[in-house]
Structures are given as C-alpha cells and as structure tokens.
Amino acid sequence: MGKTRKEFSFNEKLEAVEKYLRGEGSLISIAHEYGVHHNALHQWIANYEAMGPSVLLPTRQKKRYPVALRIAAVEAYLRGEGSLRELCMKFKIRSRTQLINWIKLYNNGHIDQWEKKSQRRRIRMTKGRATTF
C-alpha cells in the first residue's frame, strides 16, 4: 500500500507555526505532535515569515511564477547569494522543491520550455479514431 497524505487545515498549520515561533517547543517536537514531517513544518514557518499567514490557506490552483522570477531565483542560487530556503523566502516561492526543479531545468538547458509553456494553448481533439471490439 502507498502512503496516505494527511491534509492539514489552515488552523492546524497556523497553530503549529505560531507555537514554534512562541518558543513552546522544538521544531521536531511540534512536528511530532501534529503528525507532520519536520521539513514540512519548517517550510510552513519559512512561508509564514516571508508571506504572512494567508500562505497557509489551502489552494485549489497551482501558483504560477513569471519566467523572469524563475530565472532571477535560479541565477541568484547559482551565484551563491543564499541557500534554497533563503532564496525561496526572498523571491516568495512556496516550495524548495520548486526551486530545485527550476535549477535542474536551467542546468540542463531547458529554460526555453518556460517561455513556450506559458504561450502554449490547449488544443482539444475534434476528431477521434473509430474503434471496434
């Protein structure tokens, strides 16, 4: 069986973050108390400090970042201007994993896909192939 991913409400996230910021426990003890991995809690804290409590609200759509911001963040990382987490806070990126993926694309020369992807439109199939059983 695969792992089940627990969804946390806004109030649970906010309570955990504020408990840590008030100094009512260590990162690991609070993460254990809420049943979340300590890296996830650390990301919630970093996002909260960079963008405020509204960033902890659940979202239905993926956040889209402008191409210029992506390039600026990746180049800042490659110049050594900070750690992944620090740059995520600086550029208001919600996840370190997102920045890591951009760095991989940038290093592999696939940066041109960012422009194409943002300009591409979905084309729906109007004709289908006839199938028989």
Side-chain angles (χ1 to χ4, degrees):
M1 278 203 255
K3 292 182 181 179
T4 58
R5 185 175 178 160
K6 182 181 178 203
E7 295 292 323
F8 294 92
S9 71
F10 169 73
N11 291 333
E12 288 175 313
K13 290 179 182 180
L14 187 63
E15 187 178 301
V17 168
E18 288 180 343
K19 188 178 245 187
Y20 174 77
L21 294 175
R22 286 191 304 262
E24 295 179 13
S26 69
L27 185 75
I28 292 177
S29 67
I30 293 171
H32 183 71
E33 178 184 334
Y34 284 87
V36 64
H37 195 273
H38 62 89
N39 285 337
L41 178 58
H42 198 272
Q43 189 68 52
W44 293 350
I45 294 165
N47 288 345
Y48 177 88
E49 289 176 336
M51 298 173 259
S54 64
V55 77
L56 300 175
L57 288 168
T59 58
R60 292 184 182 208
Q61 293 181 343
K62 291 181 181 178
K63 176 132 171 69
R64 298 192 185 271
Y65 297 95
V67 175
L69 182 133
R70 295 178 192 187
I71 294 170
V74 168
E75 289 178 347
Y77 177 76
L78 295 176
R79 285 191 301 268
E81 293 180 14
S83 68
L84 290 169
R85 195 161 269 135
E86 290 168 350
L87 291 173
C88 285
M89 290 176 71
K90 177 181 177 181
F91 289 99
K92 298 188 182 341
I93 301 167
R94 292 180 70 133
S95 171
R96 282 182 333 124
T97 307
Q98 184 66 66
L99 182 54
I100 290 168
N101 290 338
W102 294 345
I103 293 166
K104 287 177 185 175
L105 284 173
Y106 187 91
N107 285 336
N108 292 329
H110 298 295
I111 195 167
D112 58 329
Q113 289 180 352
W114 289 341
E115 284 91 17
K116 290 178 187 175
K117 211 176 217 184
S118 62
Q119 295 169 357
R120 186 173 32 192
R121 292 187 332 189
R122 273 194 115 131
I123 300 172
R124 300 212 181 260
M125 200 161 75
T126 56
K127 283 185 169 182
R129 182 182 295 171
T131 58
T132 59
F133 289 103

